[in-house]
Amino acid sequence: MSWSRQNPVNIMKAKSYETANVRKMAKKGTKIGQSQELPVDNSPSNQQYDKLGLALYITALTLALVTFVGGSYYCISQIVQGLQAKPIEWMVCILMAGFLVAAIYTARTLVWLGFFGTVMLCSRMGAWMRSEETSRIAIKLDKFMPNGTGWASLALCQSLLQRGQYQESLAVAEDEWRRNGENVKQAMNMGPLCAYAGTVNQVDGNIKQTLVWNDRALASFNYMLEDYSDPKKNKSIMRKFAKSQTTEWLGQLKLQMAGVYVNNASIHMGARDFRRAKECFKKAVEMAVQAPDSPQRSDILKASKEQLGRLKHS
């Protein structure tokens, strides 16, 4: 599934340096605490889509304001007239009260779409300036976001990471973890967000925190895997509607999990903890063989199997 459905983004691009170089790292005996380097995108923000994103954002918020003010005024005025009528028109009052609630929820949804749609569009089109600014505003207005701010923190963290703003990216992840780290409803966003934070810590050579964040990522990924494998929940209308794409999404999820396991394995190899490294490589292979065919899958399988061969007698 794509971001538009609020499922995890593909973290393999950001973490591909690990899977591509894990064999080289193991041969060289990478020392614990040694930092890694990530490719940095220094391209300027796409100004055309920065402007288009701003237009979308303003349009959605304007529609939300019109819906809220217009709907509230009309419904309240009708309720007042119904109460002043002789006899009181209870049916009109009840009906308008229902419309008032609907208008409020519609306005709130339009506000959310203004933020979410803008961030998704700008992120896809390289308009990182508008995407980051809108994400930051959404995070500040977390009480008004129907589905929380996990998606906004994830978008902001990813954008900052790709531009080499590592400490800012980590701060965003830590802030979101404090808000929603224990909220299972945010697992879709917390999984890749924690994986990004693990990547940033590895870049800084903070191996202990890398493992902490990677374990958090795996916990969220495992929750999603179990949740989508539950036959009772798969009977819901939304699950049935998305059934054709669920299999593909689960494959991508397992590929992301394999990437995190490879990351952990490379850290344990550097610390010469071969038993844990072996366990992580085995889990990486287990997840990768269930993922769709891709260059990342091939890299993970090849590197993991080679390392397992070397660790056979460890």
Side-chain angles (χ1 to χ4, degrees):
M1 286 187 176
S2 67
W3 261 43
S4 60
R5 290 182 290 278
Q6 288 200 74
N7 286 315
V9 295
N10 193 331
I11 64 172
M12 297 308 297
K13 181 178 179 181
K15 298 174 73 63
S16 60
Y17 79 98
E18 295 156 0
T19 57
N21 295 327
V22 65
R23 287 166 291 172
K24 182 173 65 176
M25 290 168 59
K27 289 179 181 179
K28 291 182 177 180
T30 304
K31 296 180 180 180
I32 190 165
Q34 180 175 333
S35 62
Q36 302 295 320
E37 293 184 359
L38 286 176
V40 176
D41 184 2
N42 292 316
S43 59
S45 184
N46 188 327
Q47 293 186 2
Q48 179 181 354
Y49 278 92
D50 277 333
K51 295 177 181 178
L52 183 60
L54 178 60
L56 174 63
Y57 175 73
I58 293 175
T59 299
L61 293 189
T62 301
L63 288 173
L65 181 62
V66 170
T67 300
F68 177 74
V69 174
S72 298
Y73 175 79
Y74 177 77
C75 292
I76 292 174
S77 63
Q78 290 298 309
I79 290 173
V80 171
Q81 291 180 19
L83 292 173
Q84 292 176 344
K86 301 295 182 180
I88 296 176
E89 297 179 347
W90 291 110
M91 186 58 67
V92 172
C93 294
I94 294 172
L95 192 62
M96 287 300 107
F99 284 153
L100 177 60
V101 172
I104 293 173
Y105 272 94
T106 300
R108 188 183 182 210
T109 301
L110 286 170
V111 170
W112 176 78
L113 285 174
F115 285 98
F116 184 75
T118 300
V119 171
M120 295 305 102
L121 173 66
C122 293
S123 296
R124 184 177 294 274
M125 296 303 174
W128 55 262
M129 187 178 295
R130 175 56 49 194
S131 174
E132 291 181 10
E133 183 177 342
T134 306
S135 295
R136 286 191 173 94
I137 297 174
I139 292 171
K140 291 179 181 179
L141 300 176
D142 62 301
K143 301 298 182 182
F144 297 93
M145 296 293 113
N147 295 309
T149 58
W151 60 271
S153 294
L154 178 56
L156 180 57
C157 184
Q158 180 191 34
S159 180
L160 292 169
L161 179 62
Q162 291 177 340
R163 296 197 301 109
Q165 306 299 312
Y166 301 133
Q167 293 308 311
E168 288 185 54
S169 178
L170 183 58
V172 171
E174 290 174 340
D175 186 46
E176 186 61 35
W177 179 260
R178 283 192 291 270
R179 282 196 303 271
N180 289 308
E182 303 301 324
N183 184 358
V184 295
K185 294 182 179 179
Q186 288 294 321
M188 288 184 176
N189 298 306
M190 295 309 301
L193 183 68
C194 291
Y196 281 138
T199 299
V200 173
N201 277 287
Q202 189 169 17
V203 168
D204 286 343
N206 192 336
I207 301 304
K208 183 178 180 180
Q209 282 301 306
T210 298
L211 291 173
V212 169
W213 282 102
N214 283 351
D215 287 343
R216 289 172 177 174
L218 289 172
S220 295
F221 287 145
N222 277 312
Y223 173 81
M224 287 187 285
L225 199 59
E226 293 174 3
D227 185 57
Y228 272 79
S229 299
D230 188 340
K232 294 182 179 179
K233 294 183 179 180
N234 284 333
K235 292 181 180 180
S236 66
I237 296 176
M238 290 302 295
R239 291 286 179 88
K240 289 181 178 180
F241 180 75
K243 186 177 180 180
S244 60
Q245 297 177 324
T246 299
T247 302
E248 179 184 354
W249 175 71
L250 286 174
Q252 292 295 329
L253 174 61
K254 291 173 182 177
L255 184 62
Q256 294 176 33
M257 293 177 70
V260 178
Y261 278 121
V262 167
N263 185 20
N264 280 352
S266 66
I267 291 173
H268 293 313
M269 286 286 286
R272 304 189 69 78
D273 188 344
F274 300 127
R275 181 183 62 81
R276 290 186 179 180
K278 188 175 181 179
E279 291 174 358
C280 289
F281 279 127
K282 285 182 177 179
K283 293 296 293 185
V285 172
E286 179 185 340
M287 293 292 108
V289 295
Q290 302 177 60
D293 191 28
S294 67
Q296 290 87 357
R297 176 181 182 270
S298 299
D299 287 342
I300 289 172
L301 286 173
K302 185 177 181 180
S304 298
K305 289 179 179 179
E306 285 185 3
Q307 292 304 320
L308 284 173
R310 293 188 177 94
L311 295 170
K312 188 175 182 179
H313 302 293
S314 299

